[in-house]
Amino acid sequence: MHTSPPPPQVLAAFGTSSTPAPLPGGQGHTWLAGTVVLKPVELPAEHEWIAATLATIPDTPRLRLARPIPATDGTWTHQGWQAWRHLPGHPDHRRVDETLTAGQLLHQALADLPRPAFLDHRDNPWTYGDRVAFDELPVPADAPMAGLLQQLAAERHPIDLPSQPVHGDLLGNVLFAPGLPPAVIDWPVYHRPADWALAVTVTDAITWYDAPVDLISRHQHRPAWRQLVIRALIYRIATTAGRHHAGLATTDHTADYRPVVDLVLDS
Protein backbone atom coordinates (compact mmCIF):
# COMPACT_ATOMS: atom_id res chain seq x y z
CA MET A 1 0.00 0.00 0.00
CA HIS A 2 1.19 3.53 -0.82
CA THR A 3 1.76 5.86 2.12
CA SER A 4 3.13 8.76 0.07
CA PRO A 5 1.29 10.81 -2.57
CA PRO A 6 1.06 9.64 -6.16
CA PRO A 7 4.17 10.65 -8.14
CA PRO A 8 4.07 13.09 -11.06
CA GLN A 9 4.05 10.35 -13.68
CA VAL A 10 0.90 8.85 -12.15
CA LEU A 11 -0.78 12.25 -11.99
CA ALA A 12 0.08 12.82 -15.65
CA ALA A 13 -1.24 9.41 -16.65
CA PHE A 14 -4.63 10.34 -15.18
CA GLY A 15 -4.71 13.81 -16.70
CA THR A 16 -3.87 16.09 -13.80
CA SER A 17 -0.89 18.21 -12.81
CA SER A 18 -2.38 19.52 -9.57
CA THR A 19 -0.54 18.99 -6.31
CA PRO A 20 -2.17 16.09 -4.45
CA ALA A 21 -3.57 16.68 -0.97
CA PRO A 22 -4.66 13.92 1.42
CA LEU A 23 -8.37 13.23 1.72
CA PRO A 24 -9.99 12.04 4.94
CA GLY A 25 -11.00 8.38 5.03
CA GLY A 26 -9.69 5.78 2.64
CA GLN A 27 -7.51 4.38 5.43
CA GLY A 28 -5.15 7.32 4.95
CA HIS A 29 -4.20 6.44 1.38
CA THR A 30 -6.56 8.65 -0.68
CA TRP A 31 -5.44 11.84 -2.41
CA LEU A 32 -7.17 14.68 -4.26
CA ALA A 33 -5.37 16.34 -7.16
CA GLY A 34 -7.60 19.01 -8.67
CA THR A 35 -10.79 17.12 -9.50
CA VAL A 36 -9.13 13.69 -9.53
CA VAL A 37 -9.22 11.30 -6.58
CA LEU A 38 -6.32 8.85 -6.53
CA LYS A 39 -5.98 5.69 -4.44
CA PRO A 40 -3.67 2.69 -4.46
CA VAL A 41 -5.01 -0.50 -5.99
CA GLU A 42 -5.09 -3.44 -3.58
CA LEU A 43 -6.47 -6.17 -5.86
CA PRO A 44 -6.15 -5.27 -9.57
CA ALA A 45 -8.87 -7.68 -10.71
CA GLU A 46 -11.30 -6.12 -8.25
CA HIS A 47 -10.58 -2.58 -9.39
CA GLU A 48 -10.82 -3.57 -13.06
CA TRP A 49 -14.25 -5.11 -12.45
CA ILE A 50 -15.57 -2.18 -10.41
CA ALA A 51 -14.28 0.43 -12.85
CA ALA A 52 -15.63 -1.37 -15.91
CA THR A 53 -19.00 -1.81 -14.21
CA LEU A 54 -19.41 1.76 -12.96
CA ALA A 55 -18.27 3.20 -16.27
CA THR A 56 -21.40 1.77 -17.91
CA ILE A 57 -24.14 2.55 -15.37
CA PRO A 58 -25.77 5.95 -16.04
CA ASP A 59 -26.55 8.52 -13.38
CA THR A 60 -30.23 9.18 -12.74
CA PRO A 61 -32.15 12.13 -11.28
CA ARG A 62 -32.09 10.20 -7.98
CA LEU A 63 -28.53 8.88 -7.86
CA ARG A 64 -24.96 9.87 -8.75
CA LEU A 65 -22.17 7.32 -9.03
CA ALA A 66 -18.42 7.60 -8.72
CA ARG A 67 -16.82 7.50 -12.18
CA PRO A 68 -13.45 5.88 -12.87
CA ILE A 69 -10.84 7.70 -14.94
CA PRO A 70 -8.82 5.65 -17.43
CA ALA A 71 -5.11 6.24 -17.74
CA THR A 72 -3.73 7.64 -20.96
CA ASP A 73 -3.03 4.10 -22.19
CA GLY A 74 -6.71 3.19 -21.76
CA THR A 75 -6.25 0.98 -18.69
CA TRP A 76 -7.89 1.51 -15.31
CA THR A 77 -4.63 1.21 -13.35
CA HIS A 78 -1.26 2.93 -13.66
CA GLN A 79 1.77 1.99 -11.55
CA GLY A 80 -0.50 0.58 -8.86
CA TRP A 81 -2.83 3.60 -8.70
CA GLN A 82 -6.49 4.14 -9.62
CA ALA A 83 -8.28 7.41 -10.32
CA TRP A 84 -11.86 8.68 -9.94
CA ARG A 85 -13.78 11.86 -10.66
CA HIS A 86 -14.23 13.86 -7.49
CA LEU A 87 -17.89 14.19 -6.50
CA PRO A 88 -19.15 17.07 -4.39
CA GLY A 89 -20.77 16.20 -1.10
CA HIS A 90 -20.16 14.73 2.31
CA PRO A 91 -21.45 11.65 4.13
CA ASP A 92 -24.13 12.26 6.75
CA HIS A 93 -24.69 9.34 9.08
CA ARG A 94 -27.97 10.85 10.26
CA ARG A 95 -29.57 10.45 6.82
CA VAL A 96 -30.01 6.72 7.08
CA ASP A 97 -33.25 6.45 5.12
CA GLU A 98 -31.79 8.37 2.18
CA THR A 99 -28.66 6.22 2.34
CA LEU A 100 -30.80 3.09 2.20
CA THR A 101 -32.69 4.45 -0.80
CA ALA A 102 -29.43 5.22 -2.61
CA GLY A 103 -28.26 1.67 -1.91
CA GLN A 104 -31.48 0.21 -3.26
CA LEU A 105 -31.18 2.25 -6.46
CA LEU A 106 -27.61 1.08 -6.95
CA HIS A 107 -28.54 -2.54 -6.32
CA GLN A 108 -31.40 -2.36 -8.80
CA ALA A 109 -28.87 -1.33 -11.45
CA LEU A 110 -26.61 -4.24 -10.50
CA ALA A 111 -29.26 -6.93 -10.10
CA ASP A 112 -28.51 -8.86 -13.30
CA LEU A 113 -24.72 -8.95 -13.02
CA PRO A 114 -23.01 -12.30 -12.40
CA ARG A 115 -20.84 -13.02 -9.40
CA PRO A 116 -17.41 -11.41 -9.90
CA ALA A 117 -14.62 -13.96 -10.17
CA PHE A 118 -12.20 -11.86 -8.11
CA LEU A 119 -14.20 -12.66 -4.96
CA ASP A 120 -12.63 -16.13 -5.00
CA HIS A 121 -9.20 -14.56 -4.48
CA ARG A 122 -9.85 -11.57 -2.23
CA ASP A 123 -8.53 -12.16 1.27
CA ASN A 124 -8.78 -9.43 3.88
CA PRO A 125 -10.45 -8.98 7.29
CA TRP A 126 -13.70 -7.77 5.73
CA THR A 127 -13.91 -10.70 3.35
CA TYR A 128 -13.19 -12.97 6.31
CA GLY A 129 -16.08 -11.41 8.24
CA ASP A 130 -18.40 -11.81 5.27
CA ARG A 131 -17.56 -15.49 4.90
CA VAL A 132 -18.09 -16.15 8.60
CA ALA A 133 -21.44 -14.34 8.42
CA PHE A 134 -22.68 -16.62 5.66
CA ASP A 135 -21.33 -19.80 7.27
CA GLU A 136 -18.57 -20.29 4.70
CA LEU A 137 -15.99 -20.18 7.49
CA PRO A 138 -16.44 -21.35 11.08
CA VAL A 139 -17.22 -18.91 13.85
CA PRO A 140 -13.86 -18.27 15.55
CA ALA A 141 -13.65 -19.32 19.18
CA ASP A 142 -10.40 -17.53 20.02
CA ALA A 143 -10.93 -14.00 18.78
CA PRO A 144 -12.29 -10.75 20.26
CA MET A 145 -16.06 -10.82 20.84
CA ALA A 146 -16.24 -14.58 20.21
CA GLY A 147 -19.09 -14.80 22.70
CA LEU A 148 -21.24 -12.41 20.68
CA LEU A 149 -20.47 -14.29 17.48
CA GLN A 150 -21.45 -17.62 19.01
CA GLN A 151 -24.75 -16.21 20.29
CA LEU A 152 -25.61 -14.80 16.89
CA ALA A 153 -24.56 -17.94 15.04
CA ALA A 154 -26.82 -20.04 17.27
CA GLU A 155 -29.78 -18.04 15.94
CA ARG A 156 -28.71 -18.23 12.31
CA HIS A 157 -30.88 -20.35 10.02
CA PRO A 158 -30.70 -21.03 6.27
CA ILE A 159 -32.23 -18.45 3.95
CA ASP A 160 -33.32 -18.73 0.34
CA LEU A 161 -32.72 -15.36 -1.27
CA PRO A 162 -30.99 -14.50 -4.55
CA SER A 163 -27.52 -12.99 -4.35
CA GLN A 164 -26.11 -10.21 -6.49
CA PRO A 165 -23.26 -7.69 -6.36
CA VAL A 166 -23.90 -5.30 -3.48
CA HIS A 167 -22.19 -2.40 -1.73
CA GLY A 168 -21.06 -3.63 1.68
CA ASP A 169 -20.39 -0.26 3.40
CA LEU A 170 -23.01 2.26 2.39
CA LEU A 171 -23.38 4.42 5.48
CA GLY A 172 -20.07 6.26 5.16
CA ASN A 173 -19.94 6.14 1.38
CA VAL A 174 -23.05 7.99 0.29
CA LEU A 175 -22.43 11.71 -0.23
CA PHE A 176 -25.00 14.48 0.10
CA ALA A 177 -24.72 17.91 -1.51
CA PRO A 178 -27.32 20.71 -1.76
CA GLY A 179 -29.32 20.52 -4.97
CA LEU A 180 -27.82 17.19 -6.05
CA PRO A 181 -28.97 13.58 -5.69
CA PRO A 182 -27.01 11.33 -3.31
CA ALA A 183 -23.74 9.92 -4.64
CA VAL A 184 -22.35 6.44 -3.97
CA ILE A 185 -18.57 6.10 -3.74
CA ASP A 186 -15.89 3.61 -2.60
CA TRP A 187 -17.60 0.34 -3.47
CA PRO A 188 -16.54 -2.77 -1.51
CA VAL A 189 -18.16 -5.52 -3.58
CA TYR A 190 -19.87 -8.55 -2.07
CA HIS A 191 -22.17 -11.09 -3.69
CA ARG A 192 -25.03 -11.39 -1.23
CA PRO A 193 -28.76 -10.71 -0.97
CA ALA A 194 -29.38 -7.04 -1.66
CA ASP A 195 -31.20 -6.51 1.63
CA TRP A 196 -28.16 -7.79 3.55
CA ALA A 197 -26.32 -4.62 2.51
CA LEU A 198 -29.24 -2.60 3.91
CA ALA A 199 -29.09 -4.61 7.14
CA VAL A 200 -25.40 -3.70 7.46
CA THR A 201 -26.33 -0.03 7.05
CA VAL A 202 -29.05 -0.24 9.69
CA THR A 203 -26.92 -2.03 12.26
CA ASP A 204 -24.00 0.34 11.64
CA ALA A 205 -26.27 3.34 12.20
CA ILE A 206 -27.64 1.99 15.47
CA THR A 207 -24.32 0.71 16.81
CA TRP A 208 -22.14 3.71 16.02
CA TYR A 209 -24.34 6.73 15.32
CA ASP A 210 -27.19 6.57 17.85
CA ALA A 211 -29.86 5.91 15.24
CA PRO A 212 -33.23 4.91 16.70
CA VAL A 213 -33.49 1.21 17.43
CA ASP A 214 -36.81 0.97 15.61
CA LEU A 215 -34.82 1.18 12.36
CA ILE A 216 -34.67 -2.60 12.56
CA SER A 217 -38.38 -3.17 13.04
CA ARG A 218 -39.22 -0.65 10.28
CA HIS A 219 -37.77 -3.08 7.76
CA GLN A 220 -39.16 -6.32 9.11
CA HIS A 221 -41.42 -6.59 6.05
CA ARG A 222 -38.32 -7.52 4.03
CA PRO A 223 -37.92 -11.28 3.42
CA ALA A 224 -35.72 -13.02 6.01
CA TRP A 225 -34.93 -9.64 7.55
CA ARG A 226 -34.02 -10.94 11.02
CA GLN A 227 -31.64 -13.46 9.48
CA LEU A 228 -30.02 -10.76 7.35
CA VAL A 229 -29.57 -8.52 10.39
CA ILE A 230 -27.95 -11.42 12.26
CA ARG A 231 -25.57 -11.91 9.35
CA ALA A 232 -24.87 -8.16 9.22
CA LEU A 233 -23.83 -8.18 12.87
CA ILE A 234 -21.72 -11.32 12.46
CA TYR A 235 -20.02 -9.70 9.45
CA ARG A 236 -19.01 -6.59 11.35
CA ILE A 237 -17.96 -8.41 14.53
CA ALA A 238 -16.11 -11.17 12.69
CA THR A 239 -14.15 -8.57 10.72
CA THR A 240 -12.45 -7.74 14.02
CA ALA A 241 -11.61 -11.44 14.31
CA GLY A 242 -10.20 -11.23 10.78
CA ARG A 243 -7.94 -8.38 11.83
CA HIS A 244 -6.88 -10.41 14.85
CA HIS A 245 -6.00 -13.41 12.70
CA ALA A 246 -4.03 -11.14 10.34
CA GLY A 247 -1.96 -9.82 13.24
CA LEU A 248 -3.48 -6.33 13.03
CA ALA A 249 -4.52 -4.16 15.95
CA THR A 250 -8.00 -4.92 17.25
CA THR A 251 -10.38 -3.47 19.82
CA ASP A 252 -13.02 -5.34 21.76
CA HIS A 253 -16.29 -3.50 21.08
CA THR A 254 -18.53 -5.83 23.05
CA ALA A 255 -20.05 -2.90 24.95
CA ASP A 256 -20.99 -1.20 21.66
CA TYR A 257 -22.46 -4.27 19.98
CA ARG A 258 -24.14 -5.87 22.99
CA PRO A 259 -27.29 -3.67 23.01
CA VAL A 260 -27.91 -4.26 19.30
CA VAL A 261 -27.21 -7.98 19.54
CA ASP A 262 -29.60 -8.29 22.48
CA LEU A 263 -32.25 -6.33 20.61
CA VAL A 264 -32.05 -8.65 17.61
CA LEU A 265 -31.86 -11.89 19.58
CA ASP A 266 -34.87 -10.87 21.70
CA SER A 267 -36.98 -10.05 18.66
Side-chain angles (χ1 to χ4, degrees):
M1 293 292 291
H2 300 272
T3 56
S4 55
Q9 60 268 31
V10 169
L11 299 175
F14 289 115
T16 181
S17 58
S18 299
T19 301
L23 278 176
Q27 301 182 57
H29 301 292
T30 304
W31 301 82
L32 179 63
T35 60
V36 179
V37 176
L38 297 113
K39 300 185 292 184
V41 174
E42 294 185 45
L43 183 62
E46 178 176 19
H47 174 60
E48 294 288 331
W49 188 92
I50 292 172
T53 298
L54 290 179
T56 63
I57 300 175
D59 286 349
T60 74
R62 300 179 64 193
L63 185 68
R64 293 176 291 152
L65 295 174
R67 298 299 180 190
I69 300 174
T72 51
D73 63 1
T75 63
W76 295 117
T77 302
H78 187 79
Q79 295 185 10
W81 289 86
Q82 57 183 292
W84 298 83
R85 294 290 175 201
H86 181 253
L87 291 175
H90 300 279
D92 188 340
H93 301 101
R94 299 166 298 177
R95 300 172 73 165
V96 182
D97 290 334
E98 292 164 275
T99 298
L100 292 171
T101 298
Q104 288 179 283
L105 292 170
L106 172 64
H107 295 151
Q108 288 169 11
L110 303 172
D112 296 329
L113 295 181
R115 183 180 183 275
F118 71 79
L119 291 174
D120 293 332
H121 309 289
R122 190 173 66 187
D123 183 17
N124 59 40
W126 295 268
T127 297
Y128 175 88
D130 164 65
R131 290 170 179 160
V132 172
F134 282 86
D135 205 17
E136 295 170 3
L137 288 175
V139 173
D142 61 344
M145 299 180 283
L148 291 179
L149 290 172
Q150 290 163 355
Q151 283 185 279
L152 289 163
E155 290 292 312
R156 186 175 52 189
H157 303 298
I159 57 176
D160 184 18
L161 295 173
S163 292
Q164 65 162 87
V166 298
H167 192 303
D169 192 22
L170 285 164
L171 192 57
N173 291 306
V174 174
L175 307 183
F176 299 94
L180 295 172
V184 179
I185 62 170
D186 290 349
W187 180 15
V189 181
Y190 297 89
H191 193 257
R192 299 301 182 193
D195 283 350
W196 170 77
L198 305 188
V200 172
T201 304
V202 166
T203 55
D204 282 355
I206 296 172
T207 303
W208 302 114
Y209 300 103
D210 297 320
V213 295
D214 70 349
L215 261 179
I216 293 177
S217 60
R218 277 189 232 165
H219 295 274
Q220 61 187 2
H221 62 282
R222 300 182 184 277
W225 178 245
R226 182 174 183 269
Q227 288 296 313
L228 294 175
V229 171
I230 287 172
R231 285 161 172 78
L233 286 166
I234 293 175
Y235 160 62
R236 285 304 197 199
I237 297 170
T239 294
T240 300
R243 291 181 59 85
H244 175 76
H245 290 164
L248 302 174
T250 60
T251 302
D252 189 317
H253 288 291
T254 297
D256 299 300
Y257 282 111
R258 170 59 67 187
V260 189
V261 170
D262 288 345
L263 176 69
V264 173
L265 295 184
D266 292 341
S267 63

